Amino acid sequence: MSIDHLGRIRSFLSTLPDAIDAFLVVTGDPWGSEYLPDHWALRAHLTGFTGSAGTLLLRRAAPHVLWTDSRYTLAASECCRALGLVFHEQRRALQRELPEEVEGLAVGFDPETLSEAEVRRLETALEEVDARLVALPDALRKGWTQDRPAEVAAPLFRIDPPEASGLRLDRLRDTMEEGESTLVGPEETAWFTHLRAFDVACNTTPHVRLWVPKTGEALLLADPSRLAAPLTDELAREGIRVGTLADIPRGTLLADPERLPASLWRDLDRAGFTLCETPSPVPLWMSVKCDEEIRRTKLALLEDARAQIEWMAALEARLAAGERLTEWDAAQMLVAERAKAEAYLCESFDPIVAFGPNAALPHYETAPETAAPLEGNGLLLVDSGAHSRLGTTDTTRMFAIGTPSPEELSASTRVLQGTLALARARFPEGTPGVALDALARAPLWAAGLDFGHGTGHGIGFAQSVHEGPLRISPRCLEALPVNATLSDEPGFYAAGRFGIRWENTLRVVPDPEHEGFLAFETLTLLPLDARAFDASLLSEEEIRQIDAFHARAREALLGVSLTDAGKAWLLRATRPLGKED
């Protein structure tokens, strides 16, 4: 049955106060979630556009406007054509693009969906065009009454702490003066407490917050029914008890306006707290993994490589037997294989299994109704990962189906050369991500090619596969510290024809040869499919690098339990490209 999205938009607008000329629908919730819970997915409900990024402006007296980034241009354009919306590919910050569309208007928004800092920036920008931003706390509750998914508050559980909560809390307390306290968000709370939950798909970050005073017990702001009694007692022994905002004594509260929703910020202000605006140091601390987190992450990537090898061996066997399989079938096979691991929690994002032209969409959504059959000749892009009690993984590989074209193999090789170049990098301490981004692009640039996304993102530990603030991108000014873990994933996308991406997880380490310099250690162990690139285009250095990687991967993976088919796939994939000594 088709959905009347325009009818939904009209119905929503009818519930707003008459004085409101427009309404801003952002991709946000009170928790700053990486993946938006269905309960807060108003844009998707109103338009059917389900991309992970996008902003919708509803206007009473003019066409509605949808912004999103270049990953979703095709899907968003089709949506806008069907509904008569204006589409803009977002190239600048929203506060620079929105004013052009709302001059002189009163623009409503839900203060639970924007941070306090975001609201301030928008207010300043709108003032310049004689427009104003109006908080409507009940807009979603009143305007989305039918078919709104319930908000999920799943049971809390704890992973085995890689580092004592007390040590981490003491580090935070050392930044405070006497009488001060702070309130941290869900990701930071998970880091301090080692709590996890399945409040949203593909993410284990629980929707809870933690209040931490300079001295005394910390307070976990959560529904007590979400914790089993033994877990409550365990936290209490570590100086963390369960409570509510009402249990927090009034006083000086260190708070980061970038990380608290405007609704909560203003509630705290009205409640009598003295809010001291302080950027949170915790996200950067989280980016630097402790030794135990590194050890477990290596185990997580070893297990993930095992699962993907078994999956690929089974997929190739079924295709060779003449079975007709689609991208969706392959994705489900991969999830099932990965879920066999004892430590497995969930996927870290929905697997991207994209064949041929579908791979040209960087964030293609593999779905049963649109999945392409895996037949003919081309390259299969598989971008997937998992959260487990050992860590978080994110790996992309290219696999050959039939005989890929020379153009596909050439582009794939260029991208792989970029992956290898970044992994070989040596750089001075204090080097920001922006200075390294070009290393992965240089082989593509040499052929007049490029890609529109960053080269790498931070990777969390058993939470948030895309972890800030560290990145390797043209816009990252943060220096990369030792023991940060990041992805290395250049790509190339030939619209309507094919797409390429190779991705490994890197760890920043001291350069063993040069004092004051840093280097990367490749943690990923999944072999490369040599049929998916052209080895004749590689330099001798690149061939040695791949052979050394494959030798290390082969040694590690022969030590885990593989089926005969999996072992055969591993041995074939890790055969040396160069001459053996």
Side-chain angles (χ1 to χ4, degrees), residues 12 56 98 125 189 223 261 277 311 358 381 383 390 415 438 510 512 569:
F12 181 83
L56 175 66
L98 179 64
T189 298
D223 183 340
E277 297 188 17
W311 162 77
N358 288 340
L381 183 155
D383 186 349
L390 294 172
V415 174
W569 194 96

Side-chain angles (χ1 to χ4, degrees), residues 327 352-361 364 366 374 379-383 398 499:
E327 297 164 330
I352 300 171
V353 179
F355 181 56
N358 288 340
L361 301 171
Y364 172 68
T366 307
L374 303 182
L379 290 174
L380 177 67
L381 183 155
V382 181
D383 186 349
M398 305 302 302

Side-chain angles (χ1 to χ4, degrees), residues 38-89:
D38 291 341
H39 181 75
W40 293 95
L42 179 60
R43 185 235 312 147
H45 171 75
L46 294 178
T47 67
F49 173 60
T50 59
S52 62
T55 301
L56 175 66
L57 175 67
L58 304 177
R59 297 184 291 191
R60 294 191 193 273
H64 313 306
V65 182
L66 176 65
W67 287 270
T68 190
D69 61 45
S70 59
R71 296 173 298 169
Y72 301 110
T73 297
L74 180 60
S77 298
E78 292 176 351
C79 171
C80 288
R81 278 195 297 270
L83 299 180
L85 278 62
V86 176
F87 170 66
H88 291 315
E89 185 174 302

